[in-house]
Amino acid sequence: MSNNTFGKSFSLTTFGESHSNCLGGIIEGFPANLKIDYALIESELEKRKSSSAYSTPRVEEDKVVFISGIENNISLGTPIAFLIENKNVKKQDYENLKTLFRPSHADYTYFCKYGINASSGGGRASARETVCRVVGGSLAKQFLSLYQINIESEITKIGQFDYITQRNQAEEALLQAKENGDSLGGVIKCTINNVPKGLGEPIFDKLSALLAQAMISIPSAKSFEIGDGLESCKRFGSEDIDHWNQDFTTQTNHCGGVQGGITNGMDVVFSVGFKPIASIHRIRAINPQGEIAEIENNGRHDCCNLFRARVVVESMAALTIADFIKRAK
């Protein structure tokens, strides 16, 4: 069975393709009697839209229609279902790709699995799908606000440049990529404040493991590091240990707030690496007969998706923490 659900006690199930009539989802585990903050949902969706000069020119209204689980703006405790209509669809941009598999895309792998793949827009593998994650994440954030849990993200790297200390060089590289019909990836760092101690399960459902699953499920995500990640692997143990303070906080947070897969009360800190978008202007595609041809990729794509991906990272983090809080009850 295809797995389109994330979470156990607080879960999000999504459906829809990039160019289908609509996308949508079902959220289960959201508590009853909470007032829904629609303004927060709209502001989160705005962050995912094409607001950067390096984002796709496809602009969708992204108006959410809730069809169950809410009455008079108050949650009922039953499944919350929602729909988001696709209005700015241009299937004609993919006419030259109908019988071709693009390199480094999911066209071929979906075909191998299902014997068919969406003829336009990347189908279910498109980042368009993440709009549902943002709706789910915005509701998860509202649930987490009951525990004063806050989630923040920042871009730390674009291409080979540190986006904090080398902003000008990064912007120049982005401009060059856009002019050349190319793309750039990078890294997003995320920090979760006020996480309760003791969240996470031993062995296979470690909080760090589920966070990794959540992040790597995002389109174009290629790496996940908790705490100092690979930098920790380069140190002596004496350098990497997080020594205690008498109040059970730690003097450092190399572990990223997770020990043995369970939160220790420090901030949960992790980073997600995103590869450059494979949908560049000119690509070498292949047909089912194994014939390769260089063609123009006419679809509307991001030059760099990091600016839009931040809220998706935060949303998946919110869904993960919300699920573990519900499990702990």
Side-chain angles (χ1 to χ4, degrees), residues 124-306:
R124 190 94 172 105
S126 169
R128 175 68 183 145
E129 172 268 333
T130 62
V131 69
C132 300
R133 303 178 189 227
V134 174
V135 176
S138 65
L139 286 170
K141 284 184 176 181
Q142 292 181 47
F143 170 63
L144 295 181
S145 69
L146 300 176
Y147 301 86
Q148 290 76 51
I149 296 173
N150 184 56
I151 303 174
E152 297 179 350
S153 67
E154 61 178 335
I155 298 171
T156 57
K157 194 164 185 146
I158 288 182
Q160 60 183 312
F161 299 107
D162 185 306
Y163 195 61
I164 298 171
T165 63
Q166 298 175 299
R167 182 72 59 91
N168 291 338
Q169 296 96 314
E171 292 289 343
E172 288 175 8
L174 284 168
L175 183 59
Q176 181 181 354
K178 184 176 181 180
E179 290 176 347
N180 294 339
D182 213 331
S183 61
L184 278 170
V187 177
I188 292 173
K189 179 182 178 181
C190 188
T191 303
I192 312 175
N193 308 118
N194 299 321
V195 181
K197 302 174 184 178
L199 291 187
E201 304 294 338
I203 315 302
F204 297 117
D205 269 7
K206 295 178 179 180
L207 185 130
S208 46
L210 268 293
L211 272 178
Q213 178 187 345
M215 299 307 145
I216 295 299
S217 75
I218 301 172
S220 297
K222 282 292 184 181
S223 68
F224 175 84
E225 294 182 273
I226 188 81
D228 289 355
L230 285 174
E231 290 303 311
S232 283
C233 303
K234 301 174 185 177
R235 301 177 184 137
F236 290 103
S238 57
E239 298 172 308
D240 195 61
I241 288 173
D242 292 314
H243 290 285
W244 294 114
N245 295 313
Q246 289 185 322
D247 62 356
F248 294 100
T249 61
T250 55
Q251 295 175 20
T252 53
N253 193 22
H254 300 310
C255 69
V258 181
Q259 295 172 327
I262 300 171
T263 55
N264 65 1
M266 299 293 287
D267 290 347
V268 173
V269 183
F270 62 89
S271 294
V272 188
F274 289 85
K275 74 179 182 72
I277 297 295
S279 296
I280 58 178
H281 181 59
R282 296 200 66 84
I283 57 175
R284 297 179 72 240
I286 189 170
N287 67 16
Q289 291 73 45
E291 298 167 333
I292 297 175
E294 184 170 311
I295 62 170
E296 288 190 3
N297 191 17
N298 297 319
R300 296 164 293 172
H301 310 287
D302 294 283
C303 168
C304 180
N305 67 342
L306 295 174

Side-chain angles (χ1 to χ4, degrees), residues 33-38 69-76 142:
N33 291 306
L34 288 187
K35 185 175 181 180
I36 304 300
D37 187 346
Y38 293 107
I70 300 173
E71 187 174 282
N72 298 321
N73 299 337
I74 303 296
S75 62
L76 296 173
Q142 292 181 47

